[in-house]
Amino acid sequence: AVERLDPASGVLAQAVWVDAGPARTGRVILVVHHLVVDGVSWRVLVPDLRAACEAAAAGRTPALDPVGTSFRRWAQLLTAEATSERRTAELDDWLALLGKPQPPLGRRELDPGLDTVRTLRHHTWTLPPEQAATLVGKAPAAFHCGVDDILLATLAGAVAHWRPETAAGLLVDVEGHGREPMEGADLLRTVGWFTSVRPVRLEVGAAQLDAAMAGGEAAGNLVKAVKEQARAVPGDGLGHELLRHLNPVTGPVLHAAPAAQIGFNYLGRFAAGGGADGGTGTGPAGPWQLAGETAIGGSVDLGMPATHAVDAGAVVRDTADGPELTLTLSWASRLLEEAEARRLGATWLKMLDGLAGHTTDPTAGGHTPSDFRLLNLAQHQIDELEAGFTGEQS
């Protein structure tokens, strides 16, 4: 089914009925090309498929809710936005953020002709449920941020510890869902590939990294610093890719600018074993029932160029034993030895362990300036205010 997909001919989806015989329940396999679907799209497709299947089984004509904004319209909005005066005014700020070229993380610079998907190697780590629960629940609440901030901060600390020369300003491409509000567009039920990427420059205190791994206050300071720097991007963060890919004037300028060697993607939180609609795949078969996990991804063109020397990914799955946090590193094997990549992964785990330990401290957490967008407060002023409030409460 995957091999039959042919975007050039308009073949972007295949449905296959797997007949298991008269005594067993068959299955439908649905394969959709990434050009027309992303991870969030399955949260739209799976409930719609279920509603249509159950309606058909009951003899009714399926009736689905309308789509607010088509993907075509969204693409047109992006193209117009990329050449707008507001976006082109961001160019100098993006160039300043990208700064000067950084030394390669591996043996040489990434080469799209040599470093392809075929050459990538991967390793995965899964954190214990109790530690994962702290990192995806208590830590974001304490530091008033998202799980992605927690993961990005500890990753930045790990890279700076692994390659100390990057501590003064590490460039990271942060991938997001891409469904940003624009001109009243309603993307709640739009299916498509909305993934966005924005570069961020992260400076971490190299002298405090060992203390952060040990669970000291430095772990919290790392989160606060990275949280603020990740938000200190020009505009809403979409401008870099708009100007880089959809503006013929600014595109070549950004193409020649330094690029991040590290990619980061937090895929989100999912129900384990049930896919996008929470089905369990157990019990008697009904008209609709997901069989196991919803597989997002899988087949990739092995000849595609690798986009970074190292890509870091994370996903959270809710299980009966609590949240399961899985980390994955992918690296260009012609640039980095496996031992080096695994050392980076082990350091990331230590950073997360240190932050989890620090979060159990009653004094851990706090706000940062970006939490108060209507006020001009420095971090030390926020710390003083919070210390005073805590003193009054005690």
Side-chain angles (χ1 to χ4, degrees), residues 192-216:
W193 190 3
F194 285 89
T195 305
S196 63
V197 178
R198 72 181 190 279
V200 298
R201 179 173 287 274
L202 306 175
E203 181 178 348
V204 299
Q208 296 296 310
L209 295 177
D210 286 330
M213 287 191 287

Side-chain angles (χ1 to χ4, degrees), residues 97-187:
L97 182 147
L98 295 172
K100 297 179 180 179
Q102 298 182 325
L105 294 177
R107 301 185 184 97
R108 53 170 171 75
E109 299 286 349
L110 194 70
D111 186 333
L114 298 175
D115 303 308
T116 62
V117 171
R118 182 179 284 103
T119 71
L120 295 181
R121 299 295 179 265
H122 315 274
H123 192 76
T124 297
W125 297 263
T126 300
L127 278 67
E130 183 176 348
Q131 187 183 69
T134 298
L135 292 167
V136 306
K138 295 178 182 178
F143 290 96
H144 307 279
C145 64
V147 176
D148 55 336
D149 295 303
I150 297 295
L151 295 167
L152 178 61
T154 51
L155 173 65
V159 174
H161 191 275
W162 176 61
R163 293 287 190 268
E165 66 273 14
T166 67
L170 174 69
L171 277 180
V172 181
D173 276 339
V174 179
E175 189 167 347
H177 55 71
R179 295 169 184 257
E180 306 295 343
M182 188 179 296
E183 292 192 19
D186 177 9
L187 304 175

Side-chain angles (χ1 to χ4, degrees), residues 116-341:
T116 62
V117 171
R118 182 179 284 103
T119 71
L120 295 181
R121 299 295 179 265
H122 315 274
H123 192 76
T124 297
W125 297 263
T126 300
L127 278 67
E130 183 176 348
Q131 187 183 69
T134 298
L135 292 167
V136 306
K138 295 178 182 178
F143 290 96
H144 307 279
C145 64
V147 176
D148 55 336
D149 295 303
I150 297 295
L151 295 167
L152 178 61
T154 51
L155 173 65
V159 174
H161 191 275
W162 176 61
R163 293 287 190 268
E165 66 273 14
T166 67
L170 174 69
L171 277 180
V172 181
D173 276 339
V174 179
E175 189 167 347
H177 55 71
R179 295 169 184 257
E180 306 295 343
M182 188 179 296
E183 292 192 19
D186 177 9
L187 304 175
L188 185 63
R189 288 184 43 76
T190 308
V191 171
W193 190 3
F194 285 89
T195 305
S196 63
V197 178
R198 72 181 190 279
V200 298
R201 179 173 287 274
L202 306 175
E203 181 178 348
V204 299
Q208 296 296 310
L209 295 177
D210 286 330
M213 287 191 287
E217 185 180 356
N221 293 337
L222 176 64
V223 172
K224 291 180 179 180
V226 169
K227 170 188 169 184
E228 288 303 288
Q229 293 174 85
R231 284 157 173 70
V233 295
D236 56 6
L238 293 178
H240 178 270
E241 296 298 276
L242 292 176
L243 296 172
R244 167 69 179 80
H245 296 289
L246 295 178
N247 186 314
V249 176
T250 58
V253 178
L254 286 172
H255 176 72
Q261 300 179 69
I262 299 278
F264 169 70
N265 186 11
Y266 172 55
L267 294 171
R269 191 164 184 166
F270 300 90
D277 71 347
T280 62
T282 61
W288 170 269
Q289 182 173 294
L290 284 179
E293 295 282 356
T294 302
I296 301 174
S299 59
V300 182
D301 182 351
L302 298 180
M304 286 180 59
T307 53
H308 303 97
V310 179
D311 272 297
V315 64
V316 177
R317 293 183 175 87
D318 289 312
T319 72
D321 297 324
E324 179 183 273
L325 174 57
T326 300
L327 311 176
T328 301
L329 287 185
S330 303
W331 64 93
S333 61
R334 292 178 177 176
L335 300 184
L336 291 169
E337 296 289 345
E338 181 171 350
E340 282 290 290

Side-chain angles (χ1 to χ4, degrees), residues 373-387:
R373 297 187 180 278
L374 299 182
L375 300 175
N376 185 19
L377 293 174
Q379 185 63 57
H380 72 88
Q381 293 174 305
I382 295 173
D383 294 340
E384 291 170 3
L385 286 168
E386 289 183 325

